Amino acid sequence: MERSALKIALDNIVLGSKFTKAASEFKERAPGRNALVLGGTGEVGREVIKHLMASDAFDKVTVFTRRPIEYTGAHSEKLVQKSVEFENTEQLERDFAGHSHAFCCLGTTRAKSGADGFYKVDHDYVVNSAKACKTANVEHYSICSSAGADKNSMFLYTKTKGQAEDEIQAMGFPRVSIFRPAMLMCDRDESRLLEKVATYPIKFLSKLIPGMLAIPTSTVAWTMVDNAFSAPKKTPLNEAFSNSEMLKYFNEAQKEQ
């Protein structure tokens, strides 16, 4: 059965003067750049799309998805949608060609997809798409991973995330940026009762120990996109940002208004 279109609108988005200035400088310094988004219908992915479109920094933003998107907002002529099959590496390579930046927000849960399904998405699809990006000469690969990612972890979730991170960093991209959020705060399309129940104490505890337990999906996306505007001091560069670092980076930028 065909899935209904995901509606994305540029509402309730906070950019700030630092973000808009960085976007403008990036566009002047590196004109003609194109971005691709993987996992654009997820909670972080849709926020990445919003921030990319609002920035007007890229000539084209291509969203690879199995679910159609209905976007309303600025620069809609720059948004391109393409269906994707992550098992078809050769097709991925052809489709990714001509893009300079990749934003990977692919992910599912063990509860939703089972252990095998989770590993297939969060490792196989992520690594396959990264390999295709490398072959297509993508310059900067950014990925939303997870707090605690560790290939030696005893837990499937963090172990899988860590394995994917290590394999991507070993591919030889000019630049890899890894973002490791803790619990994501958002209004999900899907109803996850336990997650909703857990949200309330998490919000309370986050005020007591800020930066450790949770982060808004919009803040993760803001950090991923803003980071892409910066010029690396050296290449190749592998960098990672923790939950607290992303929150600090965003909050300090907003204070500069």
Side-chain angles (χ1 to χ4, degrees):
M1 184 172 64
E2 185 176 347
R3 302 182 68 182
S4 60
L6 172 67
K7 295 182 179 181
I8 298 180
L10 287 185
D11 54 358
N12 301 320
I13 184 170
V14 178
L15 299 179
S17 59
K18 179 189 179 300
F19 183 97
T20 53
K21 181 181 178 181
S24 178
E25 292 175 347
F26 169 83
K27 188 174 182 179
E28 183 177 346
R29 182 180 72 249
R33 295 296 194 268
N34 297 317
L36 68 87
V37 181
L38 303 167
T41 57
E43 302 300 335
V44 173
R46 69 185 66 180
E47 291 291 337
V48 167
I49 292 171
K50 288 166 65 173
H51 284 75
L52 286 171
M53 298 305 294
S55 76
D56 191 30
F58 293 90
D59 282 5
K60 180 174 69 174
V61 176
T62 307
V63 181
F64 292 88
T65 177
R66 292 173 174 172
R67 180 182 179 186
I69 291 172
E70 185 178 311
Y71 170 78
T72 54
H75 319 298
S76 59
E77 73 282 356
K78 294 187 174 186
L79 183 66
V80 178
Q81 298 183 52
K82 284 193 174 183
S83 60
V84 62
E85 293 297 335
F86 291 103
E87 296 88 351
N88 191 341
T89 305
E90 292 183 357
Q91 185 62 52
L92 291 178
E93 292 170 1
R94 290 192 291 270
D95 288 342
F96 292 172
H99 295 84
S100 57
H101 291 66
F103 296 86
C104 180
C105 306
L106 289 169
T108 186
T109 63
R110 184 171 182 171
K112 180 180 177 181
S113 304
D116 291 342
F118 165 75
Y119 190 84
K120 184 176 184 179
V121 173
D122 284 62
H123 177 271
D124 296 348
Y125 286 2
V126 168
V127 172
N128 283 350
S129 61
K131 289 178 179 177
C133 283
K134 181 62 174 65
T135 302
N137 295 316
V138 167
E139 302 168 10
H140 187 181
Y141 189 91
S142 299
I143 179 171
C144 180
S145 182
S146 172
D150 182 353
K151 66 179 181 181
N152 297 314
S153 173
M154 63 182 292
F155 301 105
L156 176 65
Y157 187 84
T158 47
K159 181 175 184 178
T160 302
K161 295 291 189 180
Q163 289 174 342
E165 284 187 11
D166 276 20
E167 291 178 49
I168 291 167
Q169 291 181 91
M171 290 180 189
F173 282 98
R175 185 179 183 184
V176 172
S177 300
I178 298 170
F179 301 84
R180 297 173 177 151
M183 183 175 179
L184 296 169
M185 307 297 288
C186 58
D187 293 324
R188 290 189 181 274
D189 278 352
E190 298 172 350
S191 177
R192 298 180 184 176
L193 179 59
L194 291 177
E195 214 169 62
K196 287 183 178 180
V197 171
T199 295
Y200 298 106
I202 288 293
K203 284 182 177 179
F204 174 74
L205 291 172
S206 292
K207 293 179 180 179
L208 298 179
I209 43 177
M212 298 298 292
L213 300 178
I215 187 170
T217 52
S218 57
T219 301
V220 178
W222 186 97
T223 310
M224 292 179 71
V225 177
D226 184 78
N227 176 69
F229 299 148
S230 65
K233 295 180 179 180
K234 64 174 184 177
T235 56
L237 173 65
N238 289 334
E239 56 187 350
F241 300 89
S242 68
N243 196 77
S244 59
E245 287 171 333
M246 285 188 284
L247 281 168
K248 181 180 179 181
Y249 186 43
F250 174 80
N251 291 331
E252 289 182 348
Q254 302 311 311
K255 290 178 182 178
E256 297 175 6
Q257 307 305 321

